[in-house]
């Protein structure tokens, strides 16, 4: 019988319960969002006692299925004020699933000013005092060393970094990956929520747990898992390009399309793209050798391996999970042209525990506001490191793009619901703009990421600069994404399961064989719709309306070169995205 | 537009074609004089790029099929199969690449079948 663990930080009471009946068929984002909608007061302050933090593995987490090690983390967002599901790799999800833990809920708030570590093992849950050396600005890399030494090298770890301790709106929750490096539930400030509960870390030790979760139909599962893996490995996106170039392969492509936001969204193209592209990243890692790795998996069972270890000139590891959106924001948007400078910034943001999209976009905004010079990677690194102190300037940057823009007196502030717009200009790639505007999460490219077959019919023929088909494209991408986010699967599986139909069928077959169900593709779509409706209802009760589903006004009157496109969707057209 | 000579086109190669271009010591971008319009297929053949290693070409910032006519002065980029994300949809790749089966299945994997 799966467990539902609740930790009350007010009383320090721990309850290990049976899974409530209504959550029995849910996992991942479907579970976190339904739980938040059920139990969190929509109008509560995100850092107050009434907010709750929930961790949930996906439907297929803990199985041998490829790409199934993702974890959903939910709560009311300290950054956006909306519901939030933030998704991460690492080792945590698979350990939870193998231990039969359906969800971990952290609620309440201690009266005392003291940080704790929640330790979960097969024999139960305990609350320890946090080691003094990891409190008060200790970087996440060091904190993992300390916690490994105390609890054992194989434990899984979720951390509120210094930014989380200081409850900054961009604080992420950092997760240990299989090699003691960092992955992040990055967006929406859930690290601040964890910090508000005075939880510095959650440590999970699966010693004694089964090697895999129980399967209703093991042979059928094994057969479907094989088909699924083969689909991933034979597709050019998931079987080749992501492993070779990572997500940073998009720099050249989106730049060529004129949709790479540059110099705080004043252009859609740069001329130094070759310095920061995925192709250059690959060549640099290969040439430097040492600890560098062109490809690397963020969790056990990852066969796409889109992550990498980026080394310095001497071959020493700097950072991993060096994503396109981070490189874009610091490179194209902030004008930092040295990939090494960007790598050190990526490491520093991981170390201090902030979202590397929101803070990187905030750096570009700070440059436009005159706080630091354009393109100055060293100055940017200095401010990021100030977050760990924190200095007033560090706190401002850790406040995110919306706060920096406001304090600098700017109108060109690229956020929706106070969350920074990522690396695709909505004027030149209009379908993405609709997702930014309407997603329940605040501007988030991963909210419309997964692709289902019905999208191919609608979206495969859109013109990026025209409106036709874009509403249907955004709607269906968001529905499919909400479903995939509930499976524990990496969103990148979408590329293969669209083009190779047996791959999609195998995904459904694996869920059925895991639980003894007979779901169809339509059921998966229905799940996605239901998740979005629950999230939308929470946001409405929290005070959000259609009027919040809008892009910043400057997109309407500042043409974006080279196509000189503007954002021209009417409010009524935008509101059609959620008309289902 | 950095093209100085209106007869010239700018050409770029992405993903593995980036290394192909660099190994041939071609500058970024490669400038090629064009006396008359040619198709993307003809340009690929001129540059000895295998057709099945191209998913789409960008012409002046728009995803196009290899049948697209390239005019003197245009900016062109060759994109092999492998662009991730919903951008394959949002940029319109899917209506341009149906002829190349290797846009959907890796060449060596296809040959194994």
């Amino acid at each position: 019988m799966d467990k539902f663990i609740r930790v009350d930080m007010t009383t320090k009471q721990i309850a290990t319960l049976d899974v409530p009946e209504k959550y029995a068929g849910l996992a991942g984002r479907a579970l976190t969002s339904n739980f938040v909608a059920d139990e969190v007061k929509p109008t509560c302050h995100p850092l107050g006692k009434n907010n709750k933090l929930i961790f949930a593995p996906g439907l297929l987490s803990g199985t041998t299925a490829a790409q199934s090690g993702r974890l959903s983390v939910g709560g009311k967002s300290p950054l956006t004020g909306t519901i939030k599901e933030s998704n991460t790799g690492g080792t945590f999800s698979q350990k939870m699933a193998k231990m039969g833990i359906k969800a971990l809920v952290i609620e309440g708030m201690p009266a005392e000013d003291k940080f704790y570590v929640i330790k979960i093992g097969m024999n139960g849950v305990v609350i320890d005092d946090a080691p003094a050396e990891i409190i008060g600005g200790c970087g996440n890399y060091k904190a993992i060393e300390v916690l490994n030494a105390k609890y054992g090298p194989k434990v899984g770890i979720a951390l509120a970094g210094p930014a989380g301790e200081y409850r900054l709106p961009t604080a992420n929750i950092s997760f240990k990956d299989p090699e003691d490096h960092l992955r992040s539930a990055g967006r929406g400030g859930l690290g601040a929520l964890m910090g508000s509960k005075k939880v510095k870390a959650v440590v999970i030790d699966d010693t004694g747990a089964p090697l895999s979760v129980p399967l209703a139909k093991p042979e059928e599962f094994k057969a479907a898992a094989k088909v699924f893996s083969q689909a991933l490995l034979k597709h050019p996106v998931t079987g080749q390009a992501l492993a070779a170039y990572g997500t940073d392969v998009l720099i050249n492509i989106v730049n060529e399309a004129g949709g790479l936001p540059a110099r705080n969204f004043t252009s859609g193209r740069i001329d130094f793209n070759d310095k920061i592209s995925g192709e250059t990243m690959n060549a640099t890692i290969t040439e430097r050798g040492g600890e560098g790795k062109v490809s690397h998996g963020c969790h056990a069972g990852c066969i796409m391996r889109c992550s990498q270890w980026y080394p310095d000139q001497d071959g020493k590891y700097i950072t991993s999970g060096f994503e396109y959106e981070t490189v874009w924001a610091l490179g194209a948007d902030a004008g930092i042209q040295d990939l090494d400078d960007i790598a050190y910034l990526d490491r520093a943001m991981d170390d201090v525990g902030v979202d590397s999209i929101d803070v990187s976009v905030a750096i570009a905004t700070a440059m436009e506001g005159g706080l630091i010079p354009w393109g100055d990677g060293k100055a940017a690194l200095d401010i990021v490191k100030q977050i760990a102190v924190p200095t007033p300037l560090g706190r401002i940057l850790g406040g995110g793009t919306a706060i920096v823009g406001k304090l600098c007196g700017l109108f060109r502030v690229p956020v929706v619901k106070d969350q920074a717009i990522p690396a695709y200009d909505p004027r030149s790639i209009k379908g993405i703009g609709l997702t930014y505007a309407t997603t329940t999460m605040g501007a988030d490219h991963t909210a419309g990421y997964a692709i289902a077959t019905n999208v191919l019919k609608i979206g495969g023929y859109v013109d990026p600069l025209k409106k036709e088909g874009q509403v249907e494209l955004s709607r269906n991408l968001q529905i499919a994404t909400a479903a995939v986010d509930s499976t524990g699967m990496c969103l990148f599986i979408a590329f293969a399961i669209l083009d190779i139909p047996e791959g999609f069928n195998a995904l459904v077959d694996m869920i059925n064989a895991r639980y003894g169900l007979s779901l169809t593709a339509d059921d998966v779509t229905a799940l996605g719709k239901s998740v979005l409706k629950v999230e939308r209802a929470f946001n409405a009760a929290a005070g959000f309306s259609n009027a919040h589903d809008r892009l910043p006004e400057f997109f309407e009157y500042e043409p974006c070169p080279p196509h000189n496109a503007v954002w021209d969707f009417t409010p009524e057209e935008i509101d059609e995205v959620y008309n289902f | 537009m950095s093209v100085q000579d209106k007869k010239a086109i700018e050409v770029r190669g992405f993903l593995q074609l980036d290394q192909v271009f660099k190994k041939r010591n071609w500058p970024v971008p490669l400038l090629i004089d064009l006396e008359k319009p040619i198709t993307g297929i003809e340009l690929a053949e001129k540059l000895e790029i295998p057709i099945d290693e191209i998913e789409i070409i960008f012409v002046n910032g728009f995803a196009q099929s290899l049948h697209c006519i390239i005019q003197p002065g245009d900016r062109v980029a060759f994109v092999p199969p492998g662009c991730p994300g919903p951008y394959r949809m949002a940029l319109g790749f899917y209506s341009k690449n149906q002829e190349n089966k290797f846009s959907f299945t890796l060449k060596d994997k296809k040959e194994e079948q």
Side-chain angles (χ1 to χ4, degrees), chain A residues 207-531:
Chain A
T207 303
L211 292 176
S212 182
V213 294
L215 301 171
K217 298 176 180 174
E219 290 307 314
E220 290 178 24
F221 185 91
K222 190 176 171 184
K226 185 176 179 185
V227 171
F228 182 72
S229 296
Q230 286 174 338
L232 295 179
L233 289 172
K234 73 181 180 184
H235 193 280
V237 173
T238 49
Q240 187 177 67
L242 281 172
Y245 307 108
T247 55
D248 199 37
V249 70
L250 286 165
I251 287 281
N252 278 335
I253 293 169
V254 181
N255 189 58
E256 199 60 29
L260 189 76
R263 207 172 170 91
N264 196 26
F265 286 77
T266 55
S267 176
R269 189 179 277 167
I270 58 174
D271 60 9
F272 59 89
N273 50 300
D274 198 41
K275 295 182 179 178
I276 60 172
S277 68
E279 292 88 334
T280 296
M281 185 187 291
N282 174 303
T284 304
I285 295 171
T286 304
E287 180 187 326
R288 289 179 175 177
E291 294 176 353
K293 295 180 181 180
V294 164
S295 63
H296 166 256
C298 77
H299 63 270
C302 170
I303 58 176
M304 287 193 268
R305 301 170 64 80
C306 74
S307 180
Q308 60 293 102
W309 287 12
Y310 185 86
D312 66 14
Q313 291 185 348
D314 297 323
K316 191 165 180 283
Y317 170 93
I318 299 176
T319 193
S320 55
F322 198 16
E323 302 288 353
Y324 161 68
E325 285 76 16
T326 307
V327 176
W328 154 75
L330 295 168
D333 203 38
I336 300 169
Q337 300 191 20
D338 185 324
L339 198 53
D340 285 359
D341 281 352
I342 297 173
Y344 284 114
L345 274 158
D346 187 57
R347 180 189 176 91
M349 288 186 283
D350 284 349
D351 205 35
V352 77
V354 291
D355 175 24
S356 66
I357 296 178
D358 231 292
V359 169
S360 297
V361 177
I363 286 170
T365 309
M367 288 173 174
E368 174 154 350
L371 294 181
I372 51 175
W374 279 108
D376 191 336
K378 306 290 188 294
L381 183 61
D382 178 59
I383 306 185
V384 169
K385 288 186 172 177
Q386 290 183 42
I387 295 173
V389 178
T391 65
L393 191 53
R395 276 194 182 275
I396 289 169
L397 189 69
T401 304
I403 285 175
V404 170
K406 199 165 277 190
L407 292 178
C408 289
L410 303 176
F411 69 83
R412 191 181 302 107
V413 185
V415 297
V416 176
K417 303 181 182 78
D418 285 350
Q419 183 162 284
I421 293 177
Y424 318 87
D425 198 292
R427 291 163 290 191
S428 309
I429 313 176
K430 292 190 189 294
I432 306 285
L434 286 170
T435 299
Y436 291 155
T438 59
T439 166
T440 51
M441 301 286 155
D444 182 355
H445 62 295
T446 66
Y449 216 87
I451 294 165
T453 309
N454 61 337
V455 178
L456 183 58
K457 295 171 192 163
I458 301 160
Y461 297 85
V462 297
D463 179 328
L465 296 186
K466 292 181 179 169
K467 293 182 180 180
E468 287 74 22
Q470 304 285 8
V471 166
E472 293 81 3
L473 176 61
S474 175
R475 178 192 300 143
N476 285 288
L477 288 171
Q478 292 190 57
I479 290 168
T481 299
V484 174
D485 277 342
S486 303
T487 63
M489 284 283 169
C490 169
L491 276 176
F492 290 177
I493 66 168
F495 316 134
I497 66 176
L498 171 71
D499 294 333
I500 303 173
E502 63 265 32
F504 180 76
N505 294 336
L507 175 65
V508 180
D509 290 345
M510 285 192 295
I511 296 170
N512 287 336
R514 161 79 168 94
Y515 295 99
L517 302 172
S518 50
L519 300 176
T520 65
D522 288 344
D523 294 318
V524 176
T525 302
L527 173 66
K529 286 182 180 176
S530 74
V531 171

